[in-house]
Amino acid sequence: MGLLDTLKQVKQEGFNAETDSIATNSKLAAGKYPVRFKSSQVSVDKASRTQLGIALEVVSGKDKGRMEFIYLSFDEGLPEFVLNKNGRTLLKLASMLDIEFTNKDLADEVATNEALSKGIGKQFEMDLTIAANKKNPDFPYRNYDFKQLISELDDSIDEDELDLPF
Protein backbone atom coordinates (compact mmCIF):
# COMPACT_ATOMS: atom_id res chain seq x y z
CA MET A 1 0.00 0.00 0.00
CA GLY A 2 1.47 3.32 -1.03
CA LEU A 3 1.21 6.78 0.43
CA LEU A 4 -1.99 7.73 -1.38
CA ASP A 5 -3.74 4.43 -0.57
CA THR A 6 -2.73 4.67 3.09
CA LEU A 7 -4.07 8.21 3.45
CA LYS A 8 -7.32 7.29 1.71
CA GLN A 9 -7.79 4.37 4.12
CA VAL A 10 -7.11 6.57 7.16
CA LYS A 11 -9.67 9.12 5.93
CA GLN A 12 -12.23 6.36 5.20
CA GLU A 13 -11.82 5.13 8.76
CA GLY A 14 -13.02 8.57 9.89
CA PHE A 15 -9.78 10.18 11.06
CA ASN A 16 -10.14 13.96 11.50
CA ALA A 17 -6.68 15.57 11.60
CA GLU A 18 -8.01 18.71 13.30
CA THR A 19 -9.64 16.97 16.27
CA ASP A 20 -8.46 13.35 16.53
CA SER A 21 -5.38 12.08 18.33
CA ILE A 22 -2.66 10.39 16.32
CA ALA A 23 -2.30 7.60 18.88
CA THR A 24 -5.02 4.99 18.80
CA ASN A 25 -5.75 2.07 21.05
CA SER A 26 -4.54 -0.97 19.15
CA LYS A 27 -6.00 -3.48 21.60
CA LEU A 28 -8.90 -5.65 20.59
CA ALA A 29 -12.33 -4.72 21.90
CA ALA A 30 -14.36 -7.18 23.96
CA GLY A 31 -15.81 -9.96 21.83
CA LYS A 32 -15.37 -13.45 20.46
CA TYR A 33 -12.55 -14.02 18.00
CA PRO A 34 -11.26 -17.02 16.06
CA VAL A 35 -7.54 -17.02 16.87
CA ARG A 36 -4.35 -18.89 16.04
CA PHE A 37 -1.68 -19.60 18.64
CA LYS A 38 1.19 -17.64 17.09
CA SER A 39 3.97 -17.91 19.67
CA SER A 40 5.03 -17.86 23.28
CA GLN A 41 8.12 -16.56 24.98
CA VAL A 42 9.64 -16.07 28.40
CA SER A 43 10.52 -12.56 29.56
CA VAL A 44 10.97 -10.48 32.69
CA ASP A 45 8.53 -7.63 33.41
CA LYS A 46 9.26 -4.21 34.96
CA ALA A 47 8.79 -5.65 38.45
CA SER A 48 11.47 -8.32 37.74
CA ARG A 49 8.88 -11.11 37.54
CA THR A 50 9.35 -13.92 35.06
CA GLN A 51 6.38 -14.22 32.74
CA LEU A 52 5.08 -16.22 29.82
CA GLY A 53 4.06 -14.05 26.89
CA ILE A 54 1.39 -15.62 24.67
CA ALA A 55 0.68 -14.18 21.20
CA LEU A 56 -2.67 -14.95 19.55
CA GLU A 57 -3.57 -13.79 16.03
CA VAL A 58 -7.14 -13.19 14.86
CA VAL A 59 -7.65 -15.40 11.78
CA SER A 60 -10.87 -14.04 10.26
CA GLY A 61 -13.40 -11.25 10.43
CA LYS A 62 -12.88 -7.51 10.44
CA ASP A 63 -9.97 -7.82 12.90
CA LYS A 64 -8.11 -10.46 10.86
CA GLY A 65 -4.37 -10.22 11.43
CA ARG A 66 -4.62 -8.29 14.71
CA MET A 67 -2.79 -9.66 17.72
CA GLU A 68 -3.73 -10.20 21.36
CA PHE A 69 -0.93 -10.63 23.89
CA ILE A 70 -1.47 -12.40 27.19
CA TYR A 71 1.12 -12.28 29.97
CA LEU A 72 1.09 -14.88 32.73
CA SER A 73 3.34 -14.76 35.78
CA PHE A 74 3.55 -17.30 38.58
CA ASP A 75 6.09 -15.55 40.79
CA GLU A 76 5.77 -15.57 44.56
CA GLY A 77 4.37 -12.37 45.95
CA LEU A 78 1.51 -12.13 43.49
CA PRO A 79 -1.95 -12.28 45.08
CA GLU A 80 -3.44 -15.76 45.23
CA PHE A 81 -6.39 -14.81 43.01
CA VAL A 82 -3.96 -13.65 40.28
CA LEU A 83 -1.97 -16.89 40.50
CA ASN A 84 -5.18 -18.93 40.33
CA LYS A 85 -6.48 -16.98 37.34
CA ASN A 86 -3.14 -17.32 35.54
CA GLY A 87 -3.11 -21.05 36.29
CA ARG A 88 -6.62 -21.54 34.93
CA THR A 89 -5.74 -19.50 31.84
CA LEU A 90 -2.62 -21.58 31.17
CA LEU A 91 -4.46 -24.90 31.63
CA LYS A 92 -7.33 -23.81 29.39
CA LEU A 93 -4.88 -22.63 26.74
CA ALA A 94 -3.00 -25.95 26.91
CA SER A 95 -6.32 -27.76 26.47
CA MET A 96 -7.04 -25.76 23.30
CA LEU A 97 -3.56 -26.68 22.01
CA ASP A 98 -4.01 -30.41 22.83
CA ILE A 99 -1.08 -30.25 25.25
CA GLU A 100 -0.97 -32.31 28.43
CA PHE A 101 1.73 -30.92 30.68
CA THR A 102 4.14 -33.25 32.45
CA ASN A 103 5.86 -32.35 35.72
CA LYS A 104 8.99 -31.64 33.67
CA ASP A 105 7.02 -29.17 31.50
CA LEU A 106 6.01 -27.24 34.61
CA ALA A 107 9.44 -27.08 36.26
CA ASP A 108 9.78 -23.44 35.19
CA GLU A 109 8.56 -20.95 32.60
CA VAL A 110 11.25 -21.96 30.08
CA ALA A 111 10.14 -25.62 30.15
CA THR A 112 6.48 -24.55 29.94
CA ASN A 113 7.29 -22.33 26.98
CA GLU A 114 8.93 -25.28 25.19
CA ALA A 115 5.85 -27.42 25.77
CA LEU A 116 3.55 -24.66 24.51
CA SER A 117 5.59 -24.28 21.32
CA LYS A 118 4.20 -27.65 20.18
CA GLY A 119 0.82 -25.94 19.74
CA ILE A 120 1.92 -23.18 17.36
CA GLY A 121 -0.58 -22.80 14.55
CA LYS A 122 -3.55 -24.37 16.35
CA GLN A 123 -6.80 -22.42 16.16
CA PHE A 124 -9.59 -21.91 18.69
CA GLU A 125 -12.06 -19.27 19.82
CA MET A 126 -11.07 -16.55 22.27
CA ASP A 127 -13.81 -14.83 24.28
CA LEU A 128 -12.39 -11.52 25.49
CA THR A 129 -14.19 -9.53 28.17
CA ILE A 130 -13.03 -6.23 29.61
CA ALA A 131 -13.75 -5.05 33.16
CA ALA A 132 -13.07 -1.72 34.85
CA ASN A 133 -9.98 -1.43 37.02
CA LYS A 134 -10.87 0.86 39.93
CA LYS A 135 -7.25 1.29 41.02
CA ASN A 136 -5.97 2.11 37.53
CA PRO A 137 -8.81 3.08 35.16
CA ASP A 138 -6.42 3.55 32.21
CA PHE A 139 -5.64 -0.18 32.32
CA PRO A 140 -8.87 -2.20 32.45
CA TYR A 141 -8.77 -5.91 33.22
CA ARG A 142 -8.67 -8.16 30.15
CA ASN A 143 -10.29 -11.53 30.87
CA TYR A 144 -10.10 -14.53 28.57
CA ASP A 145 -11.92 -17.76 27.98
CA PHE A 146 -11.25 -20.21 25.19
CA LYS A 147 -13.19 -22.94 23.44
CA GLN A 148 -12.80 -25.09 20.36
CA LEU A 149 -13.89 -23.60 17.06
CA ILE A 150 -17.04 -25.14 15.66
CA SER A 151 -17.01 -25.39 11.90
CA GLU A 152 -20.28 -24.38 10.36
CA LEU A 153 -20.68 -26.33 7.15
CA ASP A 154 -23.35 -25.26 4.70
CA ASP A 155 -25.31 -28.37 3.72
CA SER A 156 -27.51 -26.39 1.35
CA ILE A 157 -25.12 -26.47 -1.62
CA ASP A 158 -26.99 -26.97 -4.87
CA GLU A 159 -25.16 -29.44 -7.12
CA ASP A 160 -26.14 -27.36 -10.15
CA GLU A 161 -24.18 -24.43 -8.69
CA LEU A 162 -20.97 -26.45 -8.54
CA ASP A 163 -18.78 -26.19 -11.60
CA LEU A 164 -17.60 -29.79 -11.68
CA PRO A 165 -15.52 -31.08 -14.60
CA PHE A 166 -17.42 -34.38 -14.79
Side-chain angles (χ1 to χ4, degrees), residues 40-54 69-75 78 86 90 108-110 112-113 116:
S40 69
Q41 65 181 13
V42 178
S43 62
V44 177
D45 70 8
K46 293 177 186 175
S48 299
R49 290 186 292 248
T50 303
Q51 63 185 4
L52 282 168
I54 308 296
F69 299 97
I70 302 171
Y71 297 96
L72 304 173
S73 180
F74 298 94
D75 281 5
L78 287 172
N86 288 351
L90 181 60
D108 58 28
E109 284 83 351
V110 173
T112 304
N113 183 57
L116 287 173

Side-chain angles (χ1 to χ4, degrees), residues 30-120:
K32 293 183 181 187
Y33 299 91
V35 295
R36 171 185 303 118
F37 179 69
K38 189 87 169 165
S39 66
S40 69
Q41 65 181 13
V42 178
S43 62
V44 177
D45 70 8
K46 293 177 186 175
S48 299
R49 290 186 292 248
T50 303
Q51 63 185 4
L52 282 168
I54 308 296
L56 304 175
E57 179 182 27
V58 178
V59 296
S60 65
K62 71 177 182 70
D63 292 304
K64 181 178 180 180
R66 294 195 50 201
M67 303 291 291
E68 180 70 16
F69 299 97
I70 302 171
Y71 297 96
L72 304 173
S73 180
F74 298 94
D75 281 5
E76 291 180 23
L78 287 172
E80 187 175 336
F81 79 93
V82 172
L83 292 171
N84 287 335
K85 180 180 173 187
N86 288 351
R88 288 190 305 273
T89 302
L90 181 60
L91 289 173
K92 186 77 175 221
L93 184 61
S95 173
M96 296 299 104
L97 302 175
D98 295 323
I99 295 172
E100 291 192 33
F101 290 124
T102 64
N103 285 343
K104 182 180 172 187
D105 294 334
L106 300 173
D108 58 28
E109 284 83 351
V110 173
T112 304
N113 183 57
E114 284 182 35
L116 287 173
S117 69
K118 297 172 189 167
I120 290 176

